[in-house]
Amino acid sequence: MATAVYPGSFDPITCGHLDIIRRAACQFDRVIIAVLNNTSKKPMFSVQERVQLIRKSIADLPNCSAEYFDGLLVDFVHQKQSHTVVKGLRAISDFEYEFQMALLNKKMAPDVETVFMVTNANYSYISSSIVKEIASLGGDFSDLVPAEIYDDVKLKIKEGR
Ligand code: PNS
């Protein structure tokens, strides 16, 4: 059974992320969305909230699940008996950083492959940061996040005011 791990910060999950998840779900038996419990960044949503938002968004995808991880991604991948990391590439600007991470992960865990999926052109301009910026400035972000989590993002912005 081929299991892929799709890692990220997901603060919050966007339509671009969900597009990658849906496509990965067709390519692998199981997809685990792995939310980094990053202590250095100051996220808008706690790691538990980010996992919950993803779970709401993937409710119709029976072979996908979401959880959070600490530490090295490759350790988490091994823990899940997986050999594949899936990443989405939006633009050339993503490439340098993703290439560096893929090479480092390969050095630490030669049995783990990083598979890049090119983002659907409709979503290539979306990022979690853009969603947070538009939402906090009162703009319409309904096309940028999964419908299931729109109200949660709105509420979080309201609470933060
Ligand atoms: O959505 P992001 O913030 O671009 O995701 C980055 C992520 C979570 C994939 C990356 O920071 C990561 O894998 N962190 C875990 C720690 C680790 O393994 N670092 C070494 C990778 S080179």
Side-chain angles (χ1 to χ4, degrees), residues 91-111:
I92 301 284
S93 51
D94 282 343
F95 184 76
E96 206 171 329
Y97 175 66
E98 294 297 345
F99 188 64
Q100 184 186 23
M101 283 212 294
L103 288 176
L104 279 164
N105 285 335
K106 191 78 192 160
K107 185 169 157 46
M108 291 187 283
D111 62 312

Side-chain angles (χ1 to χ4, degrees), residues 7-10 17 34 36 38 41 69 71-74 87 97-98 100-102 104-105 108:
S9 300
F10 303 105
H17 293 134
L36 177 65
N38 32 1
K41 282 191 193 173
F69 74 104
L72 286 176
L73 172 63
V74 288
K87 301 272 351 226
Y97 175 66
E98 294 297 345
Q100 184 186 23
M101 283 212 294
L104 279 164
N105 285 335
M108 291 187 283

Side-chain angles (χ1 to χ4, degrees), residues 71-87:
L72 286 176
L73 172 63
V74 288
D75 289 343
F76 180 80
V77 173
H78 283 155
Q79 218 183 79
K80 297 293 164 188
Q81 264 91 54
S82 169
H83 299 280
T84 313
V85 171
V86 168
K87 301 272 351 226

Side-chain angles (χ1 to χ4, degrees), residues 81-143:
Q81 264 91 54
S82 169
H83 299 280
T84 313
V85 171
V86 168
K87 301 272 351 226
L89 275 184
R90 283 168 304 190
I92 301 284
S93 51
D94 282 343
F95 184 76
E96 206 171 329
Y97 175 66
E98 294 297 345
F99 188 64
Q100 184 186 23
M101 283 212 294
L103 288 176
L104 279 164
N105 285 335
K106 191 78 192 160
K107 185 169 157 46
M108 291 187 283
D111 62 312
V112 174
E113 290 297 339
T114 301
V115 174
F116 291 107
M117 292 179 68
V118 175
T119 299
N120 182 319
N122 295 335
Y123 303 127
S124 61
Y125 61 95
I126 305 179
S127 67
S128 298
S129 317
I130 289 287
V131 166
K132 284 182 280 192
E133 182 160 345
I134 294 181
S136 62
L137 296 172
D140 178 11
F141 62 99
S142 53
D143 285 352

